[in-house]
Amino acid sequence: MDVGIYQESVEKFGTPCYIFDLDRFRDRLKEVQKILGKRAQICYAMKANPFLVKAASEWVNDLEVCSPGEFAICERAGVPVKQVVLSGVNKEEKDIRYIAKQYGEQVTYTVESLLQLDNLQKAGKDFQRKLPVLLRVTSGNQFGLSEELIRRIIEKRSSYPALDFLGLQYFSGTQKKRIEVLEEELMYMDRLIC
């Protein structure tokens, strides 16, 4: 990157000033996709860097959005909502209702509690939408549903006619450095799915 761009940016925008090399970002995403292969899809967790959400939306399959504030950033940036996976525990009823009314089936919603499940069912029913949902499996942390609760929801899925159960989502944390840990988690999910 040309050093002059730093001085020019400081003069134009002041400090602090964030400068991103979008070409390098795009190339890194392509490299990750190449390593993972065509069967894997990349979902950009925008909380990592919301400044890049518009660019990321052009180069990844999906965007993980974990709060009403992050969703508003996507709206302002003109991100296609069909790429949004509305995740996280910070989904209050008013937020679910707004998104379900405005965008309905275009957004994929994760379910991390029975309250979220009920709020999504009610919003889907009230706005005559069939909302696509992923049941989020906990890895033992505070995020997601227990295996037992997921089994009960699946057994009673006909009680939620406004929801389209797409599958399971598993978040086990970040900074995984040992392949053995990832393999163990993938085998756990395989067993759960079976």
Side-chain angles (χ1 to χ4, degrees), residues 26-37:
R26 180 197 60 230
D27 292 346
R28 179 64 62 96
L29 289 170
K30 285 181 178 180
E31 185 178 327
V32 169
Q33 186 68 66
K34 184 178 176 184
I35 291 167
L36 294 174

Side-chain angles (χ1 to χ4, degrees):
M1 184 179 281
D2 178 20
V3 177
I5 197 166
Y6 297 113
Q7 184 62 37
E8 182 182 318
S9 297
V10 167
E11 290 171 6
K12 185 173 181 181
F13 302 110
T15 60
C17 181
Y18 296 94
I19 301 171
F20 300 98
D21 186 333
L22 295 179
D23 293 332
R24 288 186 76 186
F25 179 55
R26 180 197 60 230
D27 292 346
R28 179 64 62 96
L29 289 170
K30 285 181 178 180
E31 185 178 327
V32 169
Q33 186 68 66
K34 184 178 176 184
I35 291 167
L36 294 174
K38 294 184 183 197
R39 288 183 50 203
Q41 295 185 345
I42 297 177
C43 181
Y44 179 75
M46 70 175 284
K47 68 180 155 211
N49 199 326
F51 297 111
L52 299 175
V53 71
K54 180 61 177 167
S57 73
E58 297 173 19
W59 303 318
V60 300
N61 303 94
D62 298 302
L63 302 163
E64 183 187 37
V65 176
C66 290
S67 71
E70 288 181 4
F71 191 83
I73 290 169
C74 290
E75 285 181 308
R76 286 193 303 272
V79 168
V81 292
K82 68 180 183 345
Q83 288 181 276
V84 169
V85 177
L86 187 62
S87 193
V89 295
N90 189 19
K91 292 192 292 282
E92 295 182 14
E93 183 177 12
K94 65 180 174 51
D95 305 313
I96 289 171
R97 291 185 66 76
Y98 167 76
I99 295 168
K101 183 177 182 181
Q102 293 296 116
Y103 303 105
E105 302 88 346
Q106 296 177 69
V107 173
T108 300
Y109 307 81
T110 66
V111 173
E112 300 195 40
S113 69
L114 288 176
L115 179 61
Q116 283 183 2
L117 184 72
D118 291 340
N119 285 339
L120 284 162
Q121 167 59 30
K122 187 172 185 321
K125 180 181 176 190
D126 289 351
F127 302 122
Q128 299 178 351
R129 309 285 185 122
K130 189 137 177 122
L131 304 177
V133 298
L134 296 167
L135 299 175
R136 189 169 190 173
V137 182
T138 185
S139 62
N141 58 29
Q142 72 272 28
F143 304 110
L145 305 162
S146 69
E147 187 176 324
E148 177 187 332
L149 194 50
I150 286 174
R151 290 178 191 279
R152 284 199 324 232
I153 292 168
I154 291 171
E155 286 172 7
K156 296 180 179 182
R157 65 187 173 273
S158 61
S159 303
Y160 303 97
L163 303 181
D164 182 14
F165 292 92
L166 302 178
L168 304 177
Q169 181 194 51
Y170 183 68
F171 173 76
S172 65
T174 59
Q175 308 301 319
K176 300 285 169 96
K177 297 189 190 251
R178 292 185 26 237
I179 192 75
E180 300 83 20
V181 174
L182 295 171
E183 287 173 341
E184 186 178 306
E185 291 173 345
L186 288 171
M187 289 185 341
Y188 164 72
M189 285 305 294
D190 281 345
R191 286 191 302 272
L192 179 59
I193 290 167
C194 288

